[in-house]
């Protein structure tokens, strides 16, 4: 599945020719993020052998990237170009800040061995960005469901809005870790 998604991302970004349609880079980023998420079990043991718990950091950053890319595609499909670019830029800045902060806190925890404060701040960054993205998604879905004329699209959008909060906690609850670190659940 990871190879198929990576091939689709490569085609979407490189094989589309010119001029590129709106959302090409966002769709490529979305497909690449999902490919990385699906490929993570393949590389997990190798990464874990080098740096303990690194697979979780990579997986969480890939989840944030997938959420950002999904919102970017959604913004480009549903908003005016200028408004979409502003919203995408905001999410990219927040994603970059969150991923850099999580990486810094992860490195700090690796150097200090078992820092619950670093772990708490790491989770705060992760949950804060996911919450912001979820709220932005829900607002956009509600706005679009009110303006669409087709009842099937309206039902689908409302179903997506209802299911989104249940998927929100997935990156926070899928812990697999060694017992020597503060990153392991207690």
């Amino acid at each position: 599945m990871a190879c198929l998604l990576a091939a689709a991302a490569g085609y979407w970004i490189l094989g589309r020719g010119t001029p590129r349609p709106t959302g090409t880079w966002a769709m490529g980023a979305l497909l690449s993020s999902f490919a990385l998420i699906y490929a993570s079990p393949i590389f997990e043991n190798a990464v874990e052998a080098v740096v303990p718990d690194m697979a979780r950091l990579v997986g969480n950053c890939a989840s944030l990237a997938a959420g950002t890319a999904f919102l970017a595609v959604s913004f480009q499909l549903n908003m005016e170009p200028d408004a979409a670019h502003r919203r995408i830029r905001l999410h990219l800045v927040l994603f970059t800040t969150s991923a850099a902060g999580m990486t810094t806190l992860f490195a700090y925890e690796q150097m200090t061995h078992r820092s619950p404060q670093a772990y708490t701040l790491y989770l705060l960054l992760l949950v804060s960005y996911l919450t912001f993205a979820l709220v932005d998604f829900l607002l956009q879905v509600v706005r679009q469901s009110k303006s669409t004329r087709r009842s099937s699209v309206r039902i689908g959008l409302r179903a997506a809005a209802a299911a989104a909060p249940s998927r929100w906690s997935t990156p926070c609850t899928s812990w697999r870790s060694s017992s020597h670190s503060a990153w392991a659940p207690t």
Side-chain angles (χ1 to χ4, degrees):
M1 182 55 111
C3 293
L4 180 65
L5 287 168
Y11 167 74
W12 199 267
I13 294 171
L14 304 173
R16 304 277 300 175
T18 54
R20 285 185 161 75
T22 302
T24 299
W25 290 105
M27 183 58 78
L30 179 65
L31 292 169
S32 298
S33 297
F34 283 131
L36 182 60
I37 290 169
Y38 277 106
S40 66
I42 298 169
F43 302 107
E44 184 174 303
N45 292 333
V47 170
E48 292 287 324
V50 176
V51 179
D53 302 315
M54 181 70 152
R56 183 175 311 112
L57 173 67
V58 172
N60 286 339
C61 287
S63 295
L64 294 180
T68 303
F70 178 79
L71 283 172
V73 169
S74 179
F75 290 151
Q76 289 177 340
L77 292 175
N78 298 320
M79 300 173 97
E80 293 297 321
D82 291 335
H85 289 300
R86 281 194 304 275
R87 297 304 300 259
I88 292 168
R89 192 173 304 118
L90 171 66
H91 277 276
L92 286 174
V93 167
L94 291 174
F95 162 71
T96 304
T97 304
S98 296
M102 288 167 44
T103 304
T104 302
L105 289 166
F106 178 81
Y108 175 76
E109 191 278 335
Q110 291 294 315
M111 290 186 289
T112 60
H113 305 291
R114 294 192 65 95
S115 174
Q117 294 85 7
Y119 178 67
T120 302
L121 291 173
Y122 175 94
L123 283 180
L124 180 66
L125 284 173
L126 176 66
V127 171
S128 296
Y129 183 79
L130 289 175
T131 302
F132 178 73
L134 177 67
V135 168
D136 215 359
F137 171 73
L138 290 174
L139 290 174
Q140 186 177 8
V141 166
V142 168
R143 188 179 316 120
Q144 289 300 317
S145 70
K146 288 180 181 177
S147 66
T148 188
R149 287 184 230 140
R150 295 184 65 185
S151 62
S152 61
V153 173
R154 190 172 27 258
I155 291 169
L157 287 170
R158 289 181 181 162
S166 68
R167 300 303 302 158
W168 171 81
S169 63
T170 301
C172 300
T173 58
S174 60
W175 302 119
R176 285 184 289 163
S177 177
S178 56
S179 61
H180 72 278
S181 172
W183 301 88
T186 55

